[in-house]
Amino acid sequence: MGTAHRKRLRKISEKPDLFDQLPDDLVLHILFKLSSSASCPSDFINILITCKRLRQFALDPLVLSRLGVKTFAVKAERWSDSSHQFLKQCANAGNREALYTLGMIRFYCLQNRGSGASLMAKAAIKSHASALYSLAVIQFNGSGGSKNDKNLRAGVALCARAAVQGHIDALRELGHCLQDGYGVPRDIVQGRRFLVQANAKELALSLRSMLTWKPQQQHVDEQQNLQYACSVMGTPITGCPLLSDFGCNVPAREVHPVNEFLKEWFESRPEMLDHGLRLCSHRGCGRPETRPREFRRCSVCGTVNYCSRGCQALDWKLRHKVECAPMEQWQGVLEDGGDNGIGGMVEIEEGEDVALVG
């Protein structure tokens, strides 16, 4: 009787797993559909460590090409050769986010300018808006080269392509370029039109964040959503909301993971910013200078510097508007139809003082 019982248990234990009976094409199709919905790197890592079969399919180029941006939200303190190889594997599979993320890390953090710019260019060819905008910033500043390597017309062209993709910072940058005649013939009316579009998209993102509020998070998010609603109506609220150019309060947008990575990387490695190199003063950027005095500074206080007019406009509304100078000093600028009260920027390379904004 004992032997028969053991045989019956062995048959039960040897019963094939239902997952193993699923066709390969079906498993691959499911992973292909779900690969872009990962909310953090651990979601994908959990798939890799579940079983050999899932790991094999998860590393298929078809699946890697669809991984979403949050899958690559690696922390700077956890950067390793394996992280680098995984990003490279996804980039080789044609993943746009991997191309852009690895390109930014190589260009700024690892100081491999050629390879980083090449990867971002590949992402830009695939119509990745952030890659197009980042290449525009590189062209505006001549990053990775000398001041003579600046190409304002190429920067404007890349901004225009990113703006077509709906990139808010590119729209804002293009608007300021047109208003100032920076790299493009001056057109104040068209410039203001692009600024209005940028702020409309900014407001739409904030409203969308309100609509995606989840009831189960009521105890955490109730006060936050109340502040969102008050900000849209123009009611004074506490905190530090982002002021749009419309004059109403709009919450700050979510920062791209690679910008968070850049910020953490250089804050934890201050020795990489020697010889007077500085980070962009906009807290959501993280871009460093690639040569001394590459970025432009605020023409009023001279204590902050920015990689782009887009970063300056965002940081002005977020915090520098209060820190730079009393609002009374900008009253004349507003009355004269100036740049929405935003302080000017000057170049400081080679001792020059070239005012970009009146």
Side-chain angles (χ1 to χ4, degrees):
M1 180 66 69
T3 302
H5 181 67
R6 284 195 298 271
K7 288 182 178 180
R8 187 165 60 253
L9 290 177
R10 188 180 301 112
K11 289 182 179 180
I12 295 175
S13 62
E14 293 175 354
K15 185 177 180 180
D17 191 341
L18 294 178
F19 174 72
D20 292 333
Q21 297 179 1
L22 292 177
D24 291 350
D25 292 343
L26 178 59
V27 177
L28 186 61
H29 181 73
I30 292 174
L31 288 177
F32 175 76
K33 291 294 185 181
L34 295 178
S35 57
S36 61
S37 61
S39 59
C40 59
S42 61
D43 287 350
F44 187 73
I45 293 175
N46 289 335
I47 296 177
L48 295 178
I49 63 177
T50 299
C51 66
K52 291 183 179 180
R53 190 183 185 208
L54 268 182
R55 177 183 176 84
Q56 177 185 355
F57 288 125
L59 295 178
D60 187 278
L62 186 64
V63 176
L64 295 179
S65 66
R66 286 291 297 250
L67 292 177
V69 58
K70 293 186 177 180
T71 309
F72 309 117
V74 60
K75 295 294 183 181
E77 61 183 11
R78 298 182 179 179
W79 178 256
S80 62
D81 289 338
S82 60
S83 303
H84 196 165
Q85 290 302 319
F86 175 69
L87 273 172
K88 184 178 179 180
Q89 188 174 358
C90 294
N92 291 336
N95 188 294
R96 298 191 311 164
E97 287 295 342
L99 287 167
Y100 172 60
T101 300
L102 185 57
M104 289 282 284
I105 293 174
R106 284 186 177 178
F107 187 89
Y108 289 108
C109 302
L110 306 182
Q111 299 182 5
N112 191 340
R113 314 295 187 194
S115 175
S118 176
L119 288 170
M120 283 188 277
K122 290 179 180 179
I125 292 174
K126 295 177 177 290
S127 299
H128 190 282
S130 295
L132 287 164
Y133 178 67
S134 293
L135 289 173
V137 172
I138 291 174
Q139 293 293 336
F140 281 134
N141 295 319
S143 300
S146 66
K147 182 181 179 181
N148 295 329
D149 293 320
K150 291 182 179 181
N151 192 333
L152 304 185
R153 294 185 62 183
V156 171
L158 288 165
C159 261
R161 289 187 58 190
V164 171
Q165 302 295 328
H167 194 277
I168 295 176
D169 291 338
L171 277 170
R172 181 173 277 113
E173 188 78 26
L174 187 59
H176 286 299
C177 287
L178 286 167
Q179 281 194 325
D180 304 335
Y182 190 67
V184 68
R186 190 175 188 183
D187 190 337
I188 296 178
V189 175
Q190 184 63 35
R192 289 189 179 277
R193 185 175 294 118
F194 281 130
L195 290 177
V196 169
Q197 291 180 14
N199 284 281
K201 289 181 176 295
E202 190 176 67
L203 183 60
L205 286 176
S206 300
L207 293 175
R208 191 176 299 120
S209 67
M210 294 171 58
L211 295 175
T212 56
W213 169 68
K214 298 180 180 180
Q216 62 266 30
Q217 297 178 340
Q218 182 174 359
H219 63 288
V220 177
D221 295 340
E222 183 175 359
Q223 183 63 31
Q224 182 180 5
N225 282 277
L226 177 60
Q227 290 182 350
Y228 283 8
C230 292
S231 66
V232 173
M233 294 184 293
T235 305
I237 58 174
T238 59
C240 186
L242 179 65
L243 292 170
S244 76
D245 293 329
F246 289 144
C248 60
N249 295 332
V250 180
R253 304 193 310 272
E254 183 179 0
V255 178
H256 193 284
V258 75
N259 294 103
E260 289 283 2
F261 182 93
L262 293 182
K263 183 180 177 182
E264 295 173 3
W265 180 276
F266 289 104
E267 287 180 349
S268 62
R269 296 167 175 81
E271 68 277 2
M272 296 188 67
L273 294 175
D274 54 2
H275 307 296
L277 299 180
R278 305 161 300 177
L279 288 177
C280 177
S281 296
H282 176 41
R283 296 172 180 174
C285 178
R287 290 182 178 87
E289 291 180 318
T290 60
R291 65 179 184 277
R293 298 182 176 182
E294 174 185 334
F295 294 163
R296 292 163 289 174
R297 69 181 179 185
C298 175
S299 61
V300 177
C301 65
T303 61
V304 293
N305 49 271
Y306 303 101
C307 67
S308 62
R309 285 299 309 270
C311 279
Q312 185 218 8
L314 289 170
D315 194 59
W316 172 261
K317 293 185 281 284
L318 184 63
R319 66 181 183 92
H320 193 55
K321 188 175 186 179
V322 178
E323 300 173 355
C324 183
M327 285 302 299
E328 291 78 13
Q329 297 188 19
W330 297 106
Q331 191 63 36
V333 178
L334 292 172
E335 292 174 354
D336 293 338
D339 190 23
N340 298 303
I342 298 176
M345 288 168 62
V346 296
E347 298 185 24
I348 57 175
E349 288 187 315
E350 301 178 4
E352 293 184 357
D353 262 352
V354 183
L356 298 181
V357 184

